[in-house]
Amino acid sequence: MNELIKKRRSVRHFKKEELSDDIVKDILEAGRWAPSPKNRQHWHFIVVRGDAKKEMLILMQKGVERTEKGEGLINVPKEWIADAYRTIHIMQDAPVTIFLVNPEGKDLRFSWDVEEKMREMSDIQAIGAVAQNMALRALEKGVGSLWIGNIFFAYEELKSWIGDGEMVLAMSFGYPQKVPDKGYRKPLKELVTYRD
Ligand SMILES: Cc1cc2nc3c(=O)[nH]c(=O)nc-3n(C[C@H](O)[C@H](O)[C@H](O)COP(=O)(O)O)c2cc1C
């Protein structure tokens, strides 16, 4: 397990080869075994491929262009926009992108009270666990993955395309063409405070 955890890298170059239904199901299966608050399992998976992928990419492009014009949810530096365009190309190469939706989640623009915020934070933590389970299982099966936060540049477009529920994250999958070198992590001594 430790080896898998350390071996996982964000893959940004995928082969054209499709992923079989069995592999996709296997990855989803790993996701659904994530823990969740009160075991509510408040997640829905939207598996995007084929023609739906084309629709998704058009919407991503539209959203990033809108954000670039300063009409997005937030204003971001130019480099972030360039990064978002790069991400669109990666999603184009990846045969499958899975969106994770929280059926009980609230719109980003919602003004939260404390209870709602706490609930949302817990829900998002659990959906993060789903994503990591999927990434690790994929790696075990020789499949690369990329976690995609840049979907939020196309928040309105993708949200209405997805329909009910709140879009939390997306992850693209495919057989890796190129895997980045060993990753970098801050040393533990910079990250940990022990209180004995
Ligand atoms: C929440 C989240 C959102 C991310 N969004 C993107 C993205 O939109 N595009 C991208 O290329 N990488 C994205 N990444 C990947 C990170 O850049 C990557 O995990 C980080 O640089 C560490 O590299 P590694 O995953 O290879 O260890 C995202 C990662 C996380 C956890």
Side-chain angles (χ1 to χ4, degrees):
M1 174 57 79
N2 208 20
E3 200 187 315
L4 268 186
I5 290 170
K6 291 192 176 171
K7 199 174 145 199
R8 186 214 52 81
R9 291 273 75 75
S10 291
V11 172
R12 297 189 175 85
H13 300 274
F14 294 100
K15 290 184 183 162
K16 290 245 174 301
E17 194 179 341
E18 294 295 326
L19 295 180
S20 70
D21 287 350
D22 281 354
I23 287 267
V24 172
K25 209 167 156 197
D26 195 295
I27 292 169
L28 294 165
E29 182 66 15
R32 92 180 164 100
W33 276 96
S36 63
K38 312 262 190 287
N39 203 13
R40 282 194 287 109
Q41 302 170 52
H42 53 281
W43 42 64
H44 183 73
F45 302 86
I46 300 183
V47 180
V48 179
R49 47 193 179 177
D51 286 344
K53 185 174 114 176
K54 289 183 202 148
E55 286 174 25
M56 170 196 74
L57 290 168
I58 291 169
L59 295 174
M60 266 294 278
Q61 180 80 21
K62 220 170 138 191
V64 176
E65 283 170 5
R66 191 169 45 76
T67 306
E68 189 176 19
K69 281 192 258 161
E71 294 164 11
L73 279 188
I74 51 168
N75 283 320
V76 294
K78 275 201 173 97
E79 312 85 78
W80 291 22
I81 297 291
D83 188 53
Y85 282 124
R86 268 195 297 276
T87 298
I88 294 175
H89 288 294
I90 301 165
M91 293 169 89
Q92 195 159 21
D93 285 349
V96 176
T97 294
I98 298 178
F99 282 77
L100 273 160
V101 173
N102 178 359
E104 301 155 26
K106 297 223 159 39
D107 191 282
L108 271 183
R109 292 155 289 195
F110 184 77
S111 68
W112 318 81
D113 69 25
V114 172
E115 191 185 332
E116 287 158 342
K117 180 93 196 254
M118 272 186 193
R119 188 182 169 104
E120 190 80 4
M121 278 174 65
S122 302
D123 284 359
I124 289 171
Q125 288 173 50
I127 291 176
V130 174
Q132 184 70 354
N133 274 7
M134 294 198 305
L136 292 177
R137 179 60 179 161
L139 177 61
E140 201 168 39
K141 300 295 263 181
V143 173
S145 63
L146 181 69
W147 198 314
I148 297 162
N150 282 331
I151 48 169
F152 290 106
F153 294 130
Y155 181 70
E156 284 97 330
E157 287 83 358
L158 290 172
K159 188 181 157 85
S160 56
W161 184 66
I162 277 169
D164 290 342
E166 183 64 6
M167 169 177 90
V168 177
L169 62 88
M171 194 171 260
S172 288
F173 295 91
Y175 290 108
Q177 189 165 60
K178 204 167 103 191
V179 179
D181 294 339
K182 196 171 180 297
Y184 163 75
R185 290 299 184 267
K186 296 175 184 172
L188 265 190
K189 63 175 174 356
E190 278 182 30
L191 303 172
V192 184
T193 304
Y194 290 98
R195 296 193 176 179
D196 296 319

